Amino acid sequence: MKTSLLKIIRKMRYIFAFLLIMAMIFVSDILQIKEVIIPEVAALVLGMWVLERQMWNANRIRIVILMTLCAIMGVFAVKFLPDFIFLRVGVCFLFCAMGLIFSKTDLVPIIPTALLPVYFNIGDYIYILIVFVLSLILVSGQKILEKCTIKPKKEFCPIEYKKRTVTAKYLKLLLILFIISVIPYHSGHLFVLAPPLIVTFVMFSNPKSMLRKKWKAVWLTLVFSAFLGAGACYITANFDVSIYITFSIATIAALFMLEKMQVFFSPSLAILLIPLILNSDKLAAYPFEIVIGASCLIISAMFLFKKNVSAVL
């Protein structure tokens, strides 16, 4: 296939991803329901629609089931567990870990899907429905793109985890997260450990990950996206500029940055959207919390998970 045609096809995939992100914002604005904006959907759309190869080893049915189950877990944690953030985060994190192990996938974006209700105290069942519908849109869109040869197909190959080894690893990850989170959680600066940063921590805990060689670029994409998202919301709130204009510019800028840097780190797009569901009084601190959190979690993962121990057979 000619290079010029490949470039056109890639631009088309970017446009479709952009339209889905803006559609979430539009529906949320019209219905006045913040739960419509699921930041991790932006991460998934990058990995499932834009990139040549899907970032995660998971088929479509597993994506829908895992996303929905984790949304249920998040809402149930808010409704039925004691109002103690360490407990709720711990239960949700371990539930997602077990979901990954038993589904034989590495779909780590399910973790923020469960944690988002905990961070924003979402106890409404509509969140589960929204996650389910958006998951269906993601997998249906991917199927259409593949049928139209706009995106290559990827075969699913189940991951045969060594259950004891990988369970021990997730318990270690959770313990480290709890130690790091003591000050942020008690001081109210939750987004030092924003859900997409927890995904970042999990991804960097793999000693074989190529991301480790680009850690500075990854850190920059996270920080830049945080300032873009917070800046877009600030301009809309203080200068009466439409959210559609500010977030169109912010989203295009984020996608342009990822393309130019060739660091397609999907949690960056989730970081971009979180300011849309933040209270205005927390907006100014948000990007600085991301700076601190991204620095601590990336460095911790790289130093504490050095051994090249495989989690699979």
Side-chain angles (χ1 to χ4, degrees):
M1 193 177 289
K2 293 182 178 180
T3 304
S4 58
L5 182 57
L6 287 173
K7 288 182 178 179
I8 292 171
I9 290 173
R10 191 174 183 84
K11 287 178 181 177
M12 288 174 63
R13 297 202 298 264
Y14 272 118
I15 291 170
F16 293 141
F18 170 79
L19 291 175
L20 179 59
I21 291 170
M22 295 310 297
M24 277 198 299
I25 297 172
F26 174 76
V27 174
S28 174
D29 185 40
I30 292 297
L31 299 179
Q32 292 297 296
I33 301 175
K34 283 189 174 184
E35 288 86 348
V36 172
I37 297 173
I38 312 293
E40 212 54 35
V41 168
L44 285 165
V45 78
L46 177 69
M48 293 174 65
W49 290 11
V50 175
L51 301 185
E52 293 290 327
R53 296 179 62 187
Q54 181 175 292
M55 292 184 66
W56 309 282
N57 192 3
N59 60 8
R60 284 188 273 270
I61 185 63
R62 281 175 169 82
I63 290 171
V64 174
I65 291 173
L66 285 171
M67 289 287 287
T68 305
L69 286 176
C70 288
I72 292 171
M73 183 68 249
V75 171
F76 274 38
V78 172
K79 290 182 73 69
F80 300 114
L81 292 181
D83 188 9
F84 182 52
I85 191 165
F86 291 95
L87 174 63
R88 291 178 176 180
V89 168
V91 170
C92 288
F93 184 85
L94 291 177
F95 179 86
C96 293
M98 293 303 103
L100 293 173
I101 294 169
F102 286 103
S103 65
K104 299 181 178 182
T105 70
D106 58 0
L107 190 70
V108 288
I110 64 173
I111 297 172
T113 307
L115 293 182
L116 198 70
V118 174
Y119 276 60
F120 289 95
N121 200 34
I122 299 171
D124 197 325
Y125 292 119
I126 194 172
Y127 175 79
I128 301 168
L129 177 62
I130 290 166
V131 169
F132 175 70
V133 170
L134 287 171
S135 299
L136 285 179
I137 292 172
L138 283 168
V139 299
S140 300
Q142 186 187 60
K143 188 172 183 178
I144 292 168
L145 292 175
E146 290 176 353
K147 281 195 172 183
C148 296
T149 66
I150 296 174
K151 179 177 168 55
K153 292 182 179 180
K154 180 187 177 182
E155 297 298 324
F156 171 61
C157 181
I159 302 171
E160 297 298 331
Y161 287 108
K162 290 180 178 177
K163 291 185 174 60
R164 287 187 179 180
T165 303
V166 77
T167 301
K169 177 184 174 179
Y170 275 107
L171 288 171
K172 180 180 176 181
L173 283 166
L174 183 59
L175 177 61
I176 296 166
L177 283 172
F178 277 161
I179 293 170
I180 294 173
S181 68
V182 170
I183 295 175
Y185 282 174
H186 277 294
S187 64
H189 295 288
L190 296 181
F191 293 94
V192 169
L193 275 85
L197 293 185
I198 294 177
V199 171
T200 302
F201 182 60
V202 173
M203 294 171 76
F204 270 85
S205 69
N206 179 5
K208 293 182 178 180
S209 175
M210 296 300 292
L211 292 171
R212 288 175 169 238
K213 295 180 179 180
K214 300 180 177 181
W215 71 269
K216 292 179 183 178
V218 169
W219 180 88
L220 184 60
T221 65
L222 291 166
V223 171
F224 186 61
S225 294
F227 277 97
L228 277 176
C233 288
Y234 178 83
I235 291 170
T236 292
N238 292 277
F239 297 98
D240 198 27
V241 180
S242 170
I243 193 68
Y244 305 117
I245 294 174
T246 57
F247 250 88
S248 291
I249 295 170
T251 303
I252 291 169
L255 291 172
F256 181 80
M257 171 195 61
L258 294 173
E259 175 69 25
K260 285 300 177 183
M261 293 182 66
Q262 291 295 293
V263 180
F264 300 101
F265 192 62
S266 60
S268 298
L269 287 185
I271 289 290
L272 177 75
L273 294 192
I274 286 178
L276 286 166
I277 49 181
L278 278 177
N279 293 330
S280 57
D281 60 325
K282 296 183 179 180
L283 194 60
Y286 173 73
F288 300 101
E289 291 176 342
I290 298 300
V291 170
I292 296 169
S295 303
C296 291
L297 291 173
I298 289 174
I299 293 170
S300 296
M302 291 179 67
F303 274 94
L304 297 173
F305 292 88
K306 288 184 176 181
K307 292 183 179 180
N308 198 358
V309 179
S310 176
V312 295
L313 292 170

